[in-house]
Amino acid sequence: MRTLTEMQRKSLKDIRALLSTHNEMAARDGHGVLAYLLELARVEANDLLQQDPSRLARHIVKRRSNS
């Protein structure tokens, strides 16, 4: 089973915060589609942080196979 390391968790938290900030800026400046895409990315980062290790491993494998 693959789990996130503490460094990976910290990186995801930092990325999530940046996505949130950029989402707010895009929405404020009238870039609705960009704001929407940034929000989707933020939700994905949040989901990765919230998942249990067994679900995370399947999520990563699924993402890589869809690439």
Side-chain angles (χ1 to χ4, degrees):
M1 229 180 305
R2 183 173 177 175
T3 61
L4 292 173
T5 65
E6 284 305 310
M7 184 179 290
Q8 289 170 324
R9 290 186 69 75
K10 183 184 179 326
S11 293
L12 267 175
K13 287 177 183 178
D14 292 343
I15 290 167
R16 182 180 59 185
L18 287 170
L19 288 167
S20 182
T21 299
H22 287 292
N23 175 17
E24 292 169 10
M25 291 178 357
R28 180 188 64 225
D29 293 341
H31 303 290
V33 173
L34 178 58
Y36 173 75
L37 293 172
L38 289 164
E39 178 65 11
L40 288 178
R42 188 198 63 77
V43 168
E44 284 292 321
N46 195 56
D47 286 350
L48 287 172
L49 287 167
Q50 299 300 321
Q51 288 182 356
D52 65 58
S54 63
R55 290 186 62 206
L56 178 60
R58 287 192 301 268
H59 182 81
I60 291 170
V61 169
K62 183 178 178 183
R63 290 280 182 192
R64 286 185 179 160
S65 67
N66 290 336
S67 300

